[in-house]
Amino acid sequence: MQSAAFTLSPSLPLPNLNRLTANRLTRSANLRLSAKLNDAANPNGVSSSSSSSSFTRKSWSLSSSSFKFRPLPLISTSDLSPPKASSESAAESADSGSLLKTLQLGSLFGLWYLFNIYFNIYNKQVLKACHFPVTVTVVQFAVGTVLVSVMWALNLYKRPKINGAMLAAIFPLAIVHTLGNLFTNMSLGKVAVSFTHTIKAMEPFFSVILSAMFLGERPTPWVIGSLVPIVGGVALASVTEASFNWAGFWSAMASNVTNQSRNVLSKKVMVKQEESLDNITLFSIITIMSFFLLAPAAIFMEGVKFTPAYLQSAGLNVRQVYTRSLLAALCFHAYQQVSYMILQRVSPVTHSVGNCVKRVVVIVSSVIIFKTPVSPVNALGTAVGLAGVFLYSRVKRIKSKPKAA
Protein backbone atom coordinates (compact mmCIF):
# COMPACT_ATOMS: atom_id res chain seq x y z
CA MET A 1 0.00 0.00 0.00
CA GLN A 2 2.81 2.40 0.77
CA SER A 3 4.57 1.58 -2.58
CA ALA A 4 1.40 2.20 -4.56
CA ALA A 5 0.79 5.43 -2.83
CA PHE A 6 4.37 6.55 -3.47
CA THR A 7 4.24 5.54 -7.17
CA LEU A 8 1.02 7.47 -7.77
CA SER A 9 2.40 10.71 -6.32
CA PRO A 10 2.50 13.26 -9.23
CA SER A 11 5.30 15.32 -7.75
CA LEU A 12 7.79 12.44 -7.27
CA PRO A 13 8.18 10.50 -10.62
CA LEU A 14 9.69 7.03 -10.38
CA PRO A 15 12.47 6.25 -12.95
CA ASN A 16 12.60 2.90 -14.90
CA LEU A 17 15.10 0.92 -12.83
CA ASN A 18 15.25 -2.05 -15.32
CA ARG A 19 16.28 0.20 -18.21
CA LEU A 20 18.94 1.94 -16.19
CA THR A 21 20.41 -1.39 -15.12
CA ALA A 22 20.48 -2.65 -18.71
CA ASN A 23 22.16 0.52 -19.93
CA ARG A 24 24.87 0.17 -17.31
CA LEU A 25 25.63 -3.46 -18.26
CA THR A 26 25.24 -3.50 -22.01
CA ARG A 27 24.87 0.14 -23.13
CA SER A 28 26.56 -0.31 -26.52
CA ALA A 29 25.12 -3.79 -27.36
CA ASN A 30 21.49 -3.25 -26.51
CA LEU A 31 21.01 0.35 -27.71
CA ARG A 32 18.48 -0.61 -30.34
CA LEU A 33 16.59 -2.85 -27.90
CA SER A 34 16.52 -0.03 -25.41
CA ALA A 35 15.13 2.27 -28.08
CA LYS A 36 12.38 -0.20 -28.83
CA LEU A 37 11.57 -0.54 -25.19
CA ASN A 38 11.39 3.22 -24.95
CA ASP A 39 9.10 3.35 -27.93
CA ALA A 40 6.94 0.71 -26.36
CA ALA A 41 6.78 2.56 -23.06
CA ASN A 42 6.17 5.91 -24.79
CA PRO A 43 3.88 5.46 -27.76
CA ASN A 44 3.91 9.21 -28.45
CA GLY A 45 7.57 9.03 -29.46
CA VAL A 46 8.97 10.86 -26.43
CA SER A 47 12.09 9.37 -24.91
CA SER A 48 12.03 8.09 -21.41
CA SER A 49 14.83 10.33 -20.26
CA SER A 50 13.29 13.36 -21.78
CA SER A 51 9.90 12.35 -20.45
CA SER A 52 11.31 11.79 -17.04
CA SER A 53 13.23 15.02 -17.19
CA SER A 54 10.27 16.92 -18.54
CA PHE A 55 7.97 15.42 -15.97
CA THR A 56 10.41 16.15 -13.24
CA ARG A 57 10.82 19.73 -14.33
CA LYS A 58 7.10 20.03 -14.69
CA SER A 59 6.49 18.63 -11.23
CA TRP A 60 9.10 20.91 -9.69
CA SER A 61 7.74 23.91 -11.51
CA LEU A 62 4.29 23.15 -10.25
CA SER A 63 5.61 22.76 -6.73
CA SER A 64 7.55 26.03 -6.96
CA SER A 65 4.61 27.81 -8.50
CA SER A 66 2.34 26.48 -5.82
CA PHE A 67 4.72 27.65 -3.10
CA LYS A 68 5.28 31.07 -4.63
CA PHE A 69 1.85 32.16 -5.65
CA ARG A 70 -0.43 30.31 -3.30
CA PRO A 71 -2.43 32.99 -1.37
CA LEU A 72 -2.74 32.86 2.39
CA PRO A 73 -6.18 31.93 3.65
CA LEU A 74 -8.24 34.87 4.85
CA ILE A 75 -9.27 34.99 8.51
CA SER A 76 -13.01 34.99 8.72
CA THR A 77 -15.04 36.73 11.38
CA SER A 78 -15.91 33.37 12.84
CA ASP A 79 -12.20 32.77 13.50
CA LEU A 80 -12.04 36.00 15.48
CA SER A 81 -14.96 35.18 17.72
CA PRO A 82 -13.00 33.41 20.50
CA PRO A 83 -10.58 36.35 21.13
CA LYS A 84 -13.51 38.75 21.01
CA ALA A 85 -15.37 36.68 23.51
CA SER A 86 -12.34 36.48 25.76
CA SER A 87 -11.80 40.27 25.58
CA GLU A 88 -15.46 40.85 26.34
CA SER A 89 -15.27 38.49 29.30
CA ALA A 90 -12.14 40.27 30.53
CA ALA A 91 -13.90 43.62 30.25
CA GLU A 92 -16.93 42.27 32.06
CA SER A 93 -14.74 40.87 34.85
CA ALA A 94 -12.93 44.22 35.12
CA ASP A 95 -16.25 46.06 35.31
CA SER A 96 -17.56 43.66 37.94
CA GLY A 97 -14.33 44.06 39.95
CA SER A 98 -14.59 47.85 39.74
CA LEU A 99 -18.23 47.71 40.79
CA LEU A 100 -17.34 45.46 43.73
CA LYS A 101 -14.63 47.87 44.89
CA THR A 102 -17.05 50.77 44.62
CA LEU A 103 -19.64 48.93 46.68
CA GLN A 104 -17.04 48.04 49.31
CA LEU A 105 -15.85 51.65 49.51
CA GLY A 106 -19.42 52.90 49.79
CA SER A 107 -20.10 50.40 52.54
CA LEU A 108 -17.02 51.58 54.45
CA PHE A 109 -18.15 55.20 54.20
CA GLY A 110 -21.60 54.20 55.43
CA LEU A 111 -20.13 52.32 58.40
CA TRP A 112 -17.83 55.24 59.15
CA TYR A 113 -20.78 57.62 59.40
CA LEU A 114 -23.00 55.15 61.24
CA PHE A 115 -20.42 54.30 63.92
CA ASN A 116 -19.67 58.00 64.39
CA ILE A 117 -23.35 58.84 64.85
CA TYR A 118 -23.88 56.14 67.45
CA PHE A 119 -20.66 57.02 69.25
CA ASN A 120 -21.79 60.62 69.69
CA ILE A 121 -25.29 59.56 70.79
CA TYR A 122 -24.21 57.01 73.41
CA ASN A 123 -21.26 59.12 74.53
CA LYS A 124 -23.48 62.15 75.06
CA GLN A 125 -26.00 60.09 77.04
CA VAL A 126 -23.28 58.71 79.34
CA LEU A 127 -21.64 62.11 79.86
CA LYS A 128 -25.03 63.68 80.54
CA ALA A 129 -25.81 61.07 83.21
CA CYS A 130 -22.41 61.19 84.93
CA HIS A 131 -20.05 63.98 83.98
CA PHE A 132 -16.70 62.26 84.43
CA PRO A 133 -15.00 62.85 81.06
CA VAL A 134 -11.61 61.50 82.15
CA THR A 135 -13.09 58.23 83.37
CA VAL A 136 -15.27 57.90 80.26
CA THR A 137 -12.25 58.45 78.03
CA VAL A 138 -10.25 55.84 79.96
CA VAL A 139 -13.08 53.33 79.49
CA GLN A 140 -12.99 53.96 75.73
CA PHE A 141 -9.24 53.42 75.59
CA ALA A 142 -9.58 50.30 77.79
CA VAL A 143 -12.13 48.71 75.45
CA GLY A 144 -9.92 49.57 72.50
CA THR A 145 -6.94 47.98 74.22
CA VAL A 146 -8.88 44.76 74.77
CA LEU A 147 -10.02 44.68 71.14
CA VAL A 148 -6.50 45.22 69.85
CA SER A 149 -5.12 42.53 72.13
CA VAL A 150 -7.74 40.04 70.94
CA MET A 151 -7.04 40.85 67.29
CA TRP A 152 -3.33 40.32 67.78
CA ALA A 153 -3.78 37.16 69.88
CA LEU A 154 -6.08 35.54 67.29
CA ASN A 155 -3.94 36.75 64.36
CA LEU A 156 -6.87 38.68 62.98
CA TYR A 157 -4.37 41.45 62.38
CA LYS A 158 -0.61 41.10 62.21
CA ARG A 159 1.11 41.89 65.47
CA PRO A 160 3.85 44.46 64.87
CA LYS A 161 7.44 44.15 65.99
CA ILE A 162 8.08 47.14 68.24
CA ASN A 163 11.37 48.39 69.59
CA GLY A 164 12.39 51.21 71.88
CA ALA A 165 13.01 53.66 69.04
CA MET A 166 9.49 53.16 67.75
CA LEU A 167 7.94 53.68 71.16
CA ALA A 168 9.98 56.84 71.67
CA ALA A 169 8.74 58.19 68.33
CA ILE A 170 5.10 57.26 68.98
CA PHE A 171 5.02 58.55 72.55
CA PRO A 172 4.41 62.24 71.65
CA LEU A 173 1.65 61.17 69.29
CA ALA A 174 0.02 59.15 72.07
CA ILE A 175 0.09 62.18 74.38
CA VAL A 176 -1.67 64.53 71.94
CA HIS A 177 -4.06 61.75 70.91
CA THR A 178 -5.03 61.25 74.53
CA LEU A 179 -5.55 64.97 75.11
CA GLY A 180 -7.53 65.37 71.90
CA ASN A 181 -10.07 62.72 72.84
CA LEU A 182 -10.23 63.93 76.43
CA PHE A 183 -10.97 67.52 75.40
CA THR A 184 -13.61 66.30 72.94
CA ASN A 185 -15.41 64.40 75.70
CA MET A 186 -15.16 67.40 78.00
CA SER A 187 -16.82 69.56 75.35
CA LEU A 188 -19.54 66.98 74.65
CA GLY A 189 -20.35 66.92 78.35
CA LYS A 190 -20.82 70.72 78.45
CA VAL A 191 -22.53 71.71 75.20
CA ALA A 192 -24.68 70.16 72.48
CA VAL A 193 -23.17 67.60 70.13
CA SER A 194 -23.95 69.78 67.13
CA PHE A 195 -22.12 72.75 68.64
CA THR A 196 -19.04 70.68 69.53
CA HIS A 197 -18.74 69.46 65.95
CA THR A 198 -19.35 72.94 64.62
CA ILE A 199 -16.37 74.20 66.62
CA LYS A 200 -14.31 71.21 65.51
CA ALA A 201 -14.82 72.43 61.96
CA MET A 202 -12.02 74.89 62.85
CA GLU A 203 -9.44 72.10 62.52
CA PRO A 204 -8.15 73.31 59.11
CA PHE A 205 -7.44 76.74 60.62
CA PHE A 206 -5.16 75.28 63.28
CA SER A 207 -3.63 72.86 60.79
CA VAL A 208 -2.49 75.76 58.58
CA ILE A 209 -1.08 77.71 61.53
CA LEU A 210 0.81 74.78 63.09
CA SER A 211 2.16 73.59 59.73
CA ALA A 212 3.48 77.08 59.01
CA MET A 213 5.06 77.39 62.47
CA PHE A 214 6.73 73.97 62.80
CA LEU A 215 7.01 72.62 59.26
CA GLY A 216 7.61 75.83 57.32
CA GLU A 217 4.71 75.13 54.95
CA ARG A 218 3.43 78.39 53.50
CA PRO A 219 -0.29 78.25 52.66
CA THR A 220 -1.45 79.27 49.21
CA PRO A 221 -3.84 82.21 48.74
CA TRP A 222 -6.55 79.67 47.95
CA VAL A 223 -6.10 77.97 51.32
CA ILE A 224 -6.11 81.29 53.16
CA GLY A 225 -9.28 82.29 51.35
CA SER A 226 -11.02 79.05 52.33
CA LEU A 227 -10.31 79.75 56.01
CA VAL A 228 -12.41 82.94 55.96
CA PRO A 229 -15.83 81.18 55.73
CA ILE A 230 -14.68 78.60 58.29
CA VAL A 231 -13.83 81.18 60.92
CA GLY A 232 -16.82 83.39 60.09
CA GLY A 233 -19.29 80.50 60.10
CA VAL A 234 -18.08 79.09 63.41
CA ALA A 235 -18.14 82.55 64.99
CA LEU A 236 -21.70 83.14 63.79
CA ALA A 237 -22.82 79.74 65.06
CA SER A 238 -21.15 80.30 68.43
CA VAL A 239 -22.83 83.65 69.00
CA THR A 240 -26.28 82.22 68.34
CA GLU A 241 -25.79 78.84 70.07
CA ALA A 242 -28.42 78.16 72.74
CA SER A 243 -26.21 75.77 74.75
CA PHE A 244 -23.10 77.95 74.59
CA ASN A 245 -20.72 78.04 77.55
CA TRP A 246 -17.04 78.85 77.67
CA ALA A 247 -15.93 75.54 79.14
CA GLY A 248 -17.44 73.58 76.27
CA PHE A 249 -16.17 76.12 73.71
CA TRP A 250 -12.56 76.11 74.89
CA SER A 251 -12.53 72.33 75.31
CA ALA A 252 -13.53 71.91 71.67
CA MET A 253 -10.90 74.45 70.64
CA ALA A 254 -8.27 72.59 72.67
CA SER A 255 -9.23 69.34 70.93
CA ASN A 256 -8.66 71.08 67.59
CA VAL A 257 -5.17 72.16 68.65
CA THR A 258 -4.15 68.75 70.00
CA ASN A 259 -5.57 66.77 67.08
CA GLN A 260 -3.78 68.94 64.55
CA SER A 261 -0.62 68.82 66.65
CA ARG A 262 -0.75 65.06 66.25
CA ASN A 263 -0.73 65.46 62.46
CA VAL A 264 2.21 67.86 62.61
CA LEU A 265 4.16 65.64 64.99
CA SER A 266 3.60 62.64 62.75
CA LYS A 267 5.57 64.51 60.06
CA LYS A 268 8.11 66.14 62.36
CA VAL A 269 9.06 63.56 64.96
CA MET A 270 8.40 60.09 63.56
CA VAL A 271 11.55 58.13 62.74
CA LYS A 272 12.15 56.03 59.63
CA GLN A 273 11.61 52.78 61.53
CA GLU A 274 8.07 53.78 62.29
CA GLU A 275 7.23 54.28 58.61
CA SER A 276 6.84 50.52 58.26
CA LEU A 277 3.73 50.65 60.46
CA ASP A 278 0.44 51.10 58.69
CA ASN A 279 -2.22 53.47 59.99
CA ILE A 280 -4.33 50.80 61.71
CA THR A 281 -1.33 49.36 63.55
CA LEU A 282 -0.19 52.83 64.56
CA PHE A 283 -3.66 53.67 65.88
CA SER A 284 -3.75 50.40 67.82
CA ILE A 285 -0.40 51.10 69.49
CA ILE A 286 -1.45 54.67 70.31
CA THR A 287 -4.70 53.40 71.85
CA ILE A 288 -2.83 51.06 74.22
CA MET A 289 -0.35 53.75 75.18
CA SER A 290 -3.16 56.27 75.75
CA PHE A 291 -4.89 53.89 78.14
CA PHE A 292 -1.79 53.51 80.30
CA LEU A 293 -1.17 57.26 80.17
CA LEU A 294 -4.67 58.32 81.20
CA ALA A 295 -5.69 55.61 83.68
CA PRO A 296 -3.57 56.97 86.58
CA ALA A 297 -4.75 60.51 85.83
CA ALA A 298 -8.39 59.39 85.91
CA ILE A 299 -7.97 57.79 89.33
CA PHE A 300 -6.13 60.82 90.64
CA MET A 301 -8.53 63.44 89.23
CA GLU A 302 -11.94 61.75 89.50
CA GLY A 303 -11.34 58.72 91.67
CA VAL A 304 -13.03 55.41 91.00
CA LYS A 305 -16.41 56.65 89.82
CA PHE A 306 -17.56 53.75 87.67
CA THR A 307 -18.18 51.21 90.42
CA PRO A 308 -21.73 49.84 90.74
CA ALA A 309 -21.96 51.08 94.32
CA TYR A 310 -21.12 54.66 93.37
CA LEU A 311 -23.50 54.71 90.39
CA GLN A 312 -26.34 53.31 92.48
CA SER A 313 -25.68 55.88 95.19
CA ALA A 314 -25.91 58.59 92.51
CA GLY A 315 -29.35 57.27 91.50
CA LEU A 316 -28.22 55.98 88.11
CA ASN A 317 -29.18 52.83 86.27
CA VAL A 318 -25.97 50.81 86.49
CA ARG A 319 -26.83 48.43 83.69
CA GLN A 320 -27.84 51.25 81.38
CA VAL A 321 -24.69 53.27 82.07
CA TYR A 322 -22.42 50.26 81.56
CA THR A 323 -24.18 49.19 78.36
CA ARG A 324 -24.08 52.63 76.77
CA SER A 325 -20.48 53.16 77.84
CA LEU A 326 -19.49 49.87 76.25
CA LEU A 327 -21.40 50.65 73.04
CA ALA A 328 -19.85 54.12 72.85
CA ALA A 329 -16.37 52.65 73.29
CA LEU A 330 -16.97 49.98 70.64
CA CYS A 331 -18.31 52.56 68.17
CA PHE A 332 -15.39 54.86 68.95
CA HIS A 333 -12.81 52.21 68.14
CA ALA A 334 -14.80 50.92 65.15
CA TYR A 335 -15.17 54.28 63.41
CA GLN A 336 -11.47 55.02 63.90
CA GLN A 337 -10.51 51.67 62.38
CA VAL A 338 -12.88 52.14 59.43
CA SER A 339 -11.55 55.66 58.90
CA TYR A 340 -8.02 54.33 58.48
CA MET A 341 -9.26 51.54 56.21
CA ILE A 342 -10.83 54.19 53.96
CA LEU A 343 -7.63 56.23 54.02
CA GLN A 344 -5.75 53.21 52.67
CA ARG A 345 -8.10 53.06 49.68
CA VAL A 346 -8.57 56.72 48.72
CA SER A 347 -6.47 59.86 48.49
CA PRO A 348 -6.14 62.23 51.47
CA VAL A 349 -8.25 64.83 49.63
CA THR A 350 -11.10 62.35 49.18
CA HIS A 351 -10.81 61.36 52.82
CA SER A 352 -11.00 65.03 53.87
CA VAL A 353 -14.14 65.54 51.81
CA GLY A 354 -15.64 62.42 53.36
CA ASN A 355 -14.75 63.72 56.82
CA CYS A 356 -16.52 66.99 56.04
CA VAL A 357 -19.63 65.13 54.95
CA LYS A 358 -19.38 62.98 58.09
CA ARG A 359 -19.44 66.10 60.26
CA VAL A 360 -22.57 67.32 58.48
CA VAL A 361 -24.26 63.95 59.01
CA VAL A 362 -23.35 63.91 62.71
CA ILE A 363 -24.60 67.47 63.28
CA VAL A 364 -27.92 66.88 61.51
CA SER A 365 -28.53 63.52 63.20
CA SER A 366 -27.71 64.89 66.67
CA VAL A 367 -30.06 67.84 66.16
CA ILE A 368 -32.84 65.44 65.22
CA ILE A 369 -32.22 62.84 67.96
CA PHE A 370 -31.61 65.26 70.85
CA LYS A 371 -34.10 67.81 69.51
CA THR A 372 -31.55 70.59 69.80
CA PRO A 373 -33.07 74.05 69.23
CA VAL A 374 -31.45 75.66 66.20
CA SER A 375 -32.17 79.20 65.04
CA PRO A 376 -31.94 80.14 61.35
CA VAL A 377 -28.86 82.29 61.99
CA ASN A 378 -27.21 79.44 63.89
CA ALA A 379 -27.95 77.03 61.05
CA LEU A 380 -26.56 79.55 58.55
CA GLY A 381 -23.33 79.91 60.52
CA THR A 382 -22.91 76.13 60.72
CA ALA A 383 -23.57 75.75 57.00
CA VAL A 384 -21.06 78.47 56.07
CA GLY A 385 -18.39 76.95 58.31
CA LEU A 386 -18.87 73.47 56.84
CA ALA A 387 -18.87 74.89 53.31
CA GLY A 388 -15.52 76.47 54.12
CA VAL A 389 -14.19 73.10 55.29
CA PHE A 390 -15.30 71.52 52.03
CA LEU A 391 -13.67 74.33 50.05
CA TYR A 392 -10.47 73.91 52.06
CA SER A 393 -10.33 70.18 51.28
CA ARG A 394 -10.61 70.99 47.57
CA VAL A 395 -8.12 73.86 47.28
CA LYS A 396 -5.53 72.28 49.57
CA ARG A 397 -4.09 70.27 46.67
CA ILE A 398 -3.55 73.39 44.54
CA LYS A 399 0.16 74.14 44.59
CA SER A 400 1.51 77.64 44.20
CA LYS A 401 3.48 78.21 41.01
CA PRO A 402 7.22 78.74 41.57
CA LYS A 403 8.55 82.15 40.68
CA ALA A 404 10.45 82.39 37.43
CA ALA A 405 14.15 83.10 37.76
Side-chain angles (χ1 to χ4, degrees):
M1 293 297 291
Q2 292 178 356
S3 175
F6 184 79
T7 304
L8 292 175
S9 174
S11 60
L12 297 173
L14 183 64
N16 194 331
L17 297 178
N18 294 329
R19 183 181 61 79
L20 293 176
T21 304
N23 287 338
R24 290 176 181 176
L25 297 176
T26 58
R27 180 181 296 274
S28 58
N30 297 322
L31 181 61
R32 187 176 296 177
L33 179 61
S34 176
K36 291 181 180 181
L37 290 174
N38 288 334
D39 293 339
N42 300 283
N44 293 329
V46 182
S47 64
S48 175
S49 61
S50 64
S51 174
S52 176
S53 173
S54 174
F55 185 72
T56 304
R57 287 195 300 269
K58 184 176 180 181
S59 63
W60 275 105
S61 64
L62 288 175
S63 177
S64 174
S65 172
S66 174
F67 174 77
K68 184 175 182 180
F69 298 104
R70 182 179 299 168
L72 293 174
L74 296 177
I75 301 176
S76 62
T77 56
S78 61
D79 297 331
L80 293 174
S81 57
K84 183 177 180 181
S86 62
S87 61
E88 289 179 354
S89 61
E92 290 177 358
S93 62
D95 292 339
S96 61
S98 177
L99 179 61
L100 181 60
K101 291 181 179 179
T102 303
L103 292 176
Q104 290 177 348
L105 186 60
S107 301
L108 288 176
F109 271 99
L111 290 174
W112 186 22
Y113 297 164
L114 187 64
F115 287 139
N116 211 295
I117 291 172
Y118 278 105
F119 162 70
N120 284 277
I121 292 173
Y122 291 129
N123 201 32
K124 178 63 177 178
Q125 291 174 345
V126 172
L127 290 170
K128 189 176 180 180
C130 51
H131 185 62
F132 301 113
V134 184
T135 303
V136 171
T137 307
V138 167
V139 171
Q140 293 168 2
F141 288 144
V143 173
T145 300
V146 173
L147 290 176
V148 171
S149 302
V150 171
M151 290 171 59
W152 288 348
L154 298 179
N155 289 326
L156 299 178
Y157 205 83
K158 186 178 179 180
R159 183 177 180 179
K161 297 180 179 179
I162 308 171
N163 53 38
M166 288 183 178
L167 293 178
I170 298 173
F171 185 73
L173 301 178
I175 292 176
V176 293
H177 178 77
T178 304
L179 293 175
N181 286 278
L182 175 60
F183 287 134
T184 299
N185 285 337
M186 291 173 65
S187 178
L188 288 172
K190 294 291 185 180
V191 296
V193 175
S194 58
F195 184 53
T196 297
H197 283 276
T198 300
I199 301 173
K200 287 178 71 65
M202 286 279 291
E203 285 182 351
F205 175 80
F206 293 101
S207 176
V208 171
I209 293 178
L210 294 174
S211 297
M213 291 175 59
F214 297 102
L215 300 178
E217 296 180 357
R218 298 182 60 182
T220 63
W222 298 100
V223 170
I224 296 176
S226 66
L227 298 179
V228 175
I230 295 176
V231 177
V234 172
L236 183 60
S238 300
V239 172
T240 57
E241 174 61 34
S243 64
F244 179 86
N245 65 70
W246 288 108
F249 176 82
W250 288 117
S251 297
M253 282 294 184
S255 70
N256 288 335
V257 175
T258 52
N259 287 332
Q260 295 310 308
S261 298
R262 178 186 57 194
N263 297 336
V264 173
L265 285 173
S266 65
K267 300 177 182 178
K268 187 74 175 178
V269 180
M270 288 167 61
V271 294
K272 293 183 179 179
Q273 292 177 338
E274 197 274 326
E275 293 177 358
S276 60
L277 300 177
D278 58 81
N279 290 327
I280 296 178
T281 303
L282 179 61
F283 169 72
S284 301
I285 297 173
I286 290 176
T287 299
I288 298 174
M289 295 178 69
S290 297
F291 168 69
F292 288 105
L293 285 172
L294 194 60
I299 298 174
F300 177 77
M301 296 173 62
E302 297 178 350
V304 183
K305 302 295 186 182
F306 247 49
T307 59
Y310 180 85
L311 294 177
Q312 288 178 353
S313 64
L316 299 175
N317 188 329
V318 178
R319 182 178 180 181
Q320 189 179 68
V321 172
Y322 281 179
T323 302
R324 292 180 180 179
S325 299
L326 177 62
L327 290 175
L330 291 173
C331 291
F332 169 76
H333 194 78
Y335 92 75
Q336 296 275 10
Q337 291 274 6
V338 174
S339 175
Y340 286 121
M341 291 173 64
I342 294 174
L343 188 59
Q344 291 178 345
R345 290 169 169 81
V346 300
S347 65
V349 175
T350 303
H351 190 271
S352 299
V353 174
N355 190 54
C356 178
V357 176
K358 179 210 70 177
R359 203 171 296 283
V360 174
V361 172
V362 170
I363 291 175
V364 173
S365 61
S366 64
V367 168
I368 296 174
I369 294 172
F370 294 109
K371 299 179 181 180
T372 306
V374 179
S375 64
V377 179
N378 182 270
L380 177 62
T382 303
V384 171
L386 294 175
V389 174
F390 177 79
L391 181 62
Y392 169 82
S393 64
R394 302 300 296 175
V395 303
K396 186 179 178 181
R397 59 181 178 178
I398 300 178
K399 304 294 182 181
S400 58
K401 296 182 180 179
K403 296 181 180 180

